């Protein structure tokens, strides 16, 4: 197992992972495309890492970083269904946290969909504390 920064040739698999996870797309109109993934891989605001096993990407973790405030939003963490329950998510997030710490980030936070018990359990295992419950509102802006 190797965790490394995401590269150009990882983008198709990252896109596949993001769109396959119902926690990311649910029943709303959000679906990721290559423009999103390009921003995650090449954009200055994101730190994106992949876990590679036997040459295949088994998972991803990314954070939206706000260096002036010294904080980061854990933007997404997804493990391929064939690799789940093997500790990959924890290793990815631990790697991401250590990278952010070295970069001067002091706080990391993230959101978990209500009822996503595996993610809640993983974050609690990593020492995250539950915050306030909030309601999420969205609107699709059409031309």
């Amino acid at each position: 197992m190797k965790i490394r920064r995401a590269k150009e040739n990882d983008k198709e698999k990252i896109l596949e992972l993001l769109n396959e996870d119902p926690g990311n797309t649910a029943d709303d109109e959000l679906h990721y495309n290559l423009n999103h993934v390009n921003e995650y891989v090449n954009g200055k605001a994101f730190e994106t890492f992949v876990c590679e096993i036997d040459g295949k990407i088994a998972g991803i973790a990314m954070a939206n970083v706000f260096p002036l405030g010294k904080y980061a939003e854990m933007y997404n963490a997804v493990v391929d269904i064939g690799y789940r329950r093997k500790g990959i998510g924890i290793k990815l997030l631990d790697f991401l946290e250590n990278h952010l710490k070295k970069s001067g980030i002091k706080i990391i936070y993230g959101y978990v969909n209500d009822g996503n018990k595996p993610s809640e359990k993983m974050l609690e295992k990593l020492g995250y504390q539950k915050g306030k419950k909030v309601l999420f509102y969205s609107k699709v802006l059409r031309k």
Side-chain angles (χ1 to χ4, degrees):
M1 178 180 349
K2 176 182 175 182
I3 297 176
R4 59 170 174 76
R5 187 176 295 279
K7 303 183 290 195
E8 282 293 313
N9 61 347
D10 299 328
K11 289 200 272 188
E12 289 287 340
K13 181 60 178 179
I14 291 170
L15 178 62
E16 180 184 318
L17 284 171
L18 290 172
N19 282 325
E20 281 181 354
D21 189 330
N24 287 330
T25 57
D27 57 359
D28 58 25
E29 293 188 24
L30 172 67
H31 290 284
Y32 294 90
N33 63 46
L34 281 174
N35 290 329
H36 295 113
V37 177
N38 188 57
E39 182 69 20
Y40 305 149
V41 173
N42 299 315
K44 292 182 181 182
F46 285 91
E47 295 286 353
T48 303
F49 296 94
V50 299
C51 175
E52 194 175 62
I53 298 176
D54 298 326
K56 294 182 178 164
I57 294 176
I60 59 170
M62 64 182 78
N64 192 358
V65 181
F66 302 89
L68 290 176
K70 297 186 188 296
Y71 68 93
E73 173 192 7
M74 186 190 340
Y75 194 72
N76 230 317
V78 181
V79 175
D80 186 286
I81 198 161
Y83 293 94
R84 290 184 183 167
R85 304 202 45 81
K86 296 180 174 143
I88 292 168
I90 286 177
K91 288 179 179 147
L92 270 164
L93 291 179
D94 189 52
F95 187 92
L96 178 64
E97 286 178 21
N98 285 322
H99 172 78
L100 293 170
K101 235 186 281 184
K102 290 176 191 171
S103 302
I105 299 301
K106 304 289 184 202
I107 296 172
I108 185 169
Y109 67 90
Y111 304 100
V112 175
N113 288 335
D114 194 26
N116 185 342
K117 296 298 180 196
S119 289
E120 287 182 39
K121 185 177 177 183
M122 178 178 65
L123 291 175
E124 288 170 7
K125 192 181 253 188
L126 285 165
Y128 288 76
Q129 298 172 354
K130 281 186 184 178
K132 296 177 183 177
K133 287 195 174 193
V134 297
L135 298 176
F136 176 80
Y137 290 83
S138 67
K139 178 180 181 180
V140 176
L141 301 176
R142 303 197 193 283
K143 290 183 180 183

